[in-house]
Amino acid sequence: MLITLAQAVVNGLLIGGIYALVSIGVTLIFGVVKVVNFAQGEFVMLGMYVSFFLATRLGMDPIVSLVVSVPVLFVLGMLLQHYLIRRVLGLGDMPQIFLTFALSLLMMNVALMAFSANYRTIQTAYSNLALHFGGLYVPVPKLIAFAVAMGLSALLWVFLKTTDLGKAMRAAAQNYDVAMLMGINPDRVFAVAVGIAIALAGAAGSLLMAFYPAYPMVGQVFVLMAFVAVVLGTLGNVTGALIAGLMMGVAESLGIQFVGADSGMIVVFVMFLVTLMIRPNGLFGGWAR
Amino acid sequence: MLKLSSVTASYGAVPAVSEVSIDVGEGEAVGLLGANGAGKSTVLRAISGLVKVTGGSIDFFGTELTRLPAHRVTALGIAHVPEGRQVFPELTVKENLEIGAYIPSARADRARTLELVFSIFPVLAERRDQLAGTMSGGEQQMLAVGRGLMLKPRLLMLDEPSLGLAPVMADATFEKVQEIHAMGTAILLVEQNVSRALSLVDRAYVVESGRVILQGSSAELANNRQVQTAYLGL
Ligand SMILES: Nc1ncnc2c1ncn2[C@@H]1O[C@H](COP(=O)(O)OP(=O)(O)OP(=O)(O)O)[C@@H](O)[C@H]1O
Ligand SMILES: [Mg+2]
C-alpha cells in the first residue's frame, strides 16, 4: 500500500514537471502581457514535432533536440508577440481571447493537414530503461525530462531574480506605466517574455517526445492542466505555477491509482474546486504582479 | 531646459489641460500648484509621454518630446515620480532602486548612485531587502523619490510627494527634496499644499481647470490676494 502510494506520487511528479513548464509559460504571458494564451498547448505540440522530425530524419536524440526547439520557439514567440498579440493589446479581453483561441485552432488544423492524425513515437536507447529504488520504478526518459524541466525552471528563476531584464519584466508585470517611466521599453520586455514562455512550451514538447506520442491535438491535454495549475498557483505567479504544476501531476496520478484509470482528471478538478472554495485567489500570493 | 508651449492633452474628447505654457531652467525648482482635478498630474504625464499630447510642443534641451514614447523620454534624463508613490510592491527596496537606473547611462554609475541615495535616505539602506509593498506610506514615498534619483536625472518631477503623509513625514520628505535641489538637480514639483510648496520652489504656476491662471516667484504668489484666499486660507 505504502509503496503503491509512493509509486503514484513519483509518477505524478515526473509528469508534473512537464505540466509545470507549460504552466509557467501561461502564467508568465498572463502576468507580464496580461493575455491568456489558449494556444500554449499547440506550441508544446510544435516542439514535439520538431523533435520528432529531428529524430527520424537526422537521428537526433529528443532531449538533445532541445538545443533546436528552444531557440526556434523562442523566436516564434517573439514574432507572435510582435506581429499578433501586440496589435490586440488595449482593445479589451475579447480580441485577445479570439486571437489566441483562433491561433490554437489554426495550429491544430495545419498540423492535421501537414502531419496527419497519426500518433508518432520515437525509440531511443533509453526508452525502455528504468531505475529501481527500493521497489520504486522510475523510467529513465521521464526522469531525464523531469530533471531538465526543473533545471529550466531554475534557470528562469535566476533570470527573473538576478538580471536587469528579468527585474524589468517583473516590474512591467506589476505596473506597466511606471515601468515605462523607468526607461523600460515595453515592446522589448513583452517580446522576450512571450519568447521565453513559448520556448518553455517547446522544451516541454521535446522532453515529452522521449516518452509520449505526438499528434495534432496533443497540446489540449497539457493546456487544460496548465490552466488549472495557473489558477491554483495564483495568476501571474511563476513559482506558484511551478508548484501547482507538480501538484496537478501528483493529483492526477493518485486519481488514476486509487479512483480509477480514467479518473485522473476528476481528482484534479475536485482538488481545483475545493482549493478555489477555500482560497479563491489561488494558493500563493501575487509574486510577479 | 524644459519648455512647454501651448500644450493641450486629453484622455477622451475633453481636454484635461489646454494651452499650457511653462518652463523650467537648469537647476531651478518650479512649482505647479492647484486644486484637485486642475490638471497638474496631466501636465507631468504629458511631459513624460504617458498621455497623448494633442497640441503644442514640449522641448527638452532641443529634443521634441511630444512624439516620444515614455521610455525614451526617461532616457533623456527626466525622472517622473508619480502620484501615489507607485513603487513596485513585489520587488525589494534594492530592486526598485536598481530598476530606477535601468537606462544604460544610469546603469553604468549604479553602485555609486545607490550609495548616494542610501546616504540621503538611510531608511532605504536599512530596509534594502524588504518588499517595497510592505513599507509604510512615508517609506514608500522616500523609495519613490530615491528610485527617481537613481536615473541621475537632469529634471526630477515630483507629483504630490506629501500626499497622504502625516505632517511630520511630509516635512521630512520636503527636507529631502530641498537637499536634492541643493545638489543641483532641477525640480518640477506638483503640490496641493501651496504654502509648503512655495517655501521650497523659486517660481510657480497656478493651474485651474486645465489652464495656467497665474505665475510668478514664490514671494509674489505668497502675497497674491487670489492665492491667499483660494489656496492659503488667509
Ligand atoms: N485616466 C484618466 N481618464 C480620464 N480622465 C482623466 C484621467 N486622469 C485624469 N483625468 C481627468 O483629467 C482632469 C485633470 O486630472 P489630473 O489628474 O491631471 O488633476 P490633478 O490636478 O493632478 O488633480 P489631483 O490633485 O487630484 O491629483 C480631471 O478632470 C480628471 O478627471
Ligand atoms: Mg494629480
Side-chain angles (χ1 to χ4, degrees):
Chain A
M1 174 65 194
L2 203 60
I3 195 77
T4 323
L5 179 68
Q7 182 67 55
V9 170
V10 167
N11 293 349
L13 282 175
L14 290 178
I15 191 71
I18 301 289
Y19 296 157
L21 276 190
V22 185
S23 310
I24 289 171
V26 171
T27 218
L28 189 64
I29 297 179
F30 183 82
V32 178
V33 190
K34 315 289 183 237
V35 167
V36 176
N37 182 20
F38 288 100
Q40 192 76 4
E42 279 52 64
F43 289 100
V44 176
M45 178 266 291
L46 200 61
M48 292 189 82
Y49 278 107
V50 167
S51 292
F52 173 75
F53 286 111
L54 286 173
T56 50
R57 300 285 147 85
L58 302 178
M60 193 185 279
D61 182 272
I63 308 285
V64 174
S65 66
L66 274 176
V67 301
V68 179
S69 63
V70 167
V72 165
L73 273 94
F74 177 78
V75 172
L76 271 182
M78 300 237 291
L79 296 175
L80 166 67
Q81 167 60 25
H82 188 78
Y83 288 105
L84 295 174
I85 297 178
R86 195 165 64 100
R87 310 205 178 244
V88 298
L89 293 181
L91 301 180
D93 293 342
M94 275 308 171
Q96 303 173 1
I97 293 172
F98 286 142
L99 172 72
T100 65
F101 198 70
L103 186 66
S104 161
L105 292 176
L106 182 73
M107 288 176 72
M108 280 191 281
N109 285 288
V110 169
L112 201 55
M113 277 166 55
F115 311 136
S116 86
N118 291 342
Y119 279 42
R120 317 276 195 153
T121 54
I122 49 184
Q123 280 294 317
T124 61
Y126 51 86
S127 282
N128 300 317
L129 284 184
L131 303 178
H132 299 270
F133 297 107
L136 286 180
Y137 169 83
V138 182
V140 168
K142 288 189 179 178
L143 184 62
I144 298 175
F146 177 78
V148 175
M150 291 304 103
L152 289 174
S153 307
L155 269 183
L156 175 65
W157 192 85
V158 169
F159 166 77
L160 288 171
K161 280 288 184 182
T162 65
T163 68
D164 284 317
L165 190 55
K167 288 173 196 166
M169 206 169 273
R170 287 156 63 211
Q174 290 169 35
N175 193 327
Y176 176 82
D177 276 359
V178 178
M180 283 198 291
L181 290 182
M182 302 295 115
I184 294 165
N185 179 350
D187 287 345
R188 178 151 173 266
V189 167
F190 282 13
V192 175
V194 176
I196 290 173
I198 299 301
L200 290 178
S206 291
L207 295 172
L208 269 176
M209 203 58 232
F211 61 90
Y212 205 89
Y215 54 96
M217 313 296 161
V218 68
Q220 297 293 304
V221 179
F222 295 93
V223 85
L224 188 59
M225 281 295 191
F227 281 143
V228 177
V230 163
V231 175
L232 264 190
T234 303
L235 288 163
N237 184 326
V238 170
T239 322
L242 169 68
I243 297 168
L246 295 174
M247 283 170 53
M248 307 279 302
V250 172
E252 182 192 37
S253 169
L254 291 176
I256 291 170
Q257 185 63 47
F258 295 106
V259 184
D262 26 345
S263 305
M265 284 312 251
I266 295 179
V267 173
V268 166
F269 282 103
V270 168
M271 183 178 97
F272 179 56
L273 292 176
V274 170
T275 315
L276 286 192
M277 277 191 293
I278 307 167
R279 309 250 341 218
N281 292 323
L283 297 172
F284 307 91
W287 177 89
R289 331 267 345 271
Chain B
M1 178 174 80
L2 176 76
K3 188 169 173 52
L4 279 70
S5 311
S6 302
V7 169
T8 298
S10 45
Y11 294 98
V14 191
V17 297
S18 310
E19 310 270 323
V20 166
S21 300
I22 65 173
D23 60 83
V24 182
E26 278 184 68
E28 216 184 357
V30 173
L32 205 55
L33 316 174
N36 283 120
K40 309 177 297 293
S41 298
T42 305
V43 172
L44 297 195
R45 293 166 65 82
I47 296 168
S48 54
L50 288 182
V51 63
K52 203 167 144 65
V53 173
T54 49
S57 71
I58 304 177
D59 178 284
F60 185 66
F61 283 112
T63 306
E64 175 60 39
L65 302 187
T66 46
R67 296 266 168 275
L68 290 186
H71 67 274
R72 304 254 325 265
V73 173
T74 306
L76 295 172
I78 299 181
H80 179 169
V81 179
E83 188 171 359
R85 319 187 238 287
Q86 307 206 36
V87 296
F88 299 109
E90 310 256 347
L91 297 188
T92 65
V93 168
K94 182 152 177 283
E95 287 172 333
N96 267 276
L97 294 172
E98 285 167 348
I99 283 289
Y102 186 76
I103 68 163
S105 63
R107 208 181 294 185
D109 275 340
R110 187 151 74 187
R112 195 143 22 103
T113 322
L114 193 64
E115 285 313 310
L116 175 72
V117 169
F118 281 160
S119 74
I120 300 174
F121 301 109
V123 63
L124 299 183
E126 288 162 26
R127 303 292 174 93
R128 69 179 81 197
D129 295 318
Q130 187 173 334
L131 286 186
T134 64
M135 302 220 296
S136 78
E139 289 163 352
Q140 288 189 21
Q141 186 63 58
M142 304 285 183
L143 177 56
V145 176
R147 186 181 61 182
L149 284 181
M150 290 298 295
L151 183 70
K152 300 208 303 174
R154 294 196 276 187
L155 173 65
L156 179 63
M157 305 199 297
L158 300 166
D159 197 341
E160 303 204 36
S162 67
L163 187 75
L165 300 186
V168 185
M169 207 61 210
D171 287 341
T173 308
F174 265 75
E175 268 168 38
K176 298 298 184 188
V177 175
Q178 189 96 59
E179 197 178 324
I180 293 158
H181 176 50
M183 291 174 352
T185 307
I187 286 174
L188 179 55
L189 174 71
V190 162
E191 261 300 330
Q192 279 188 55
N193 187 330
V194 171
S195 61
R196 211 178 246 135
L198 287 179
S199 70
L200 193 148
V201 299
D202 311 314
R203 290 188 299 119
Y205 298 86
V206 178
V207 186
E208 219 175 85
S209 307
R211 294 174 182 275
V212 173
I213 56 154
L214 269 177
Q215 65 181 82
S217 70
S218 300
E220 282 164 11
L221 290 176
N223 291 319
N224 181 294
R225 277 304 306 156
Q226 205 180 339
V227 173
Q228 287 178 343
T229 49
Y231 300 105
L232 296 175
L234 295 177

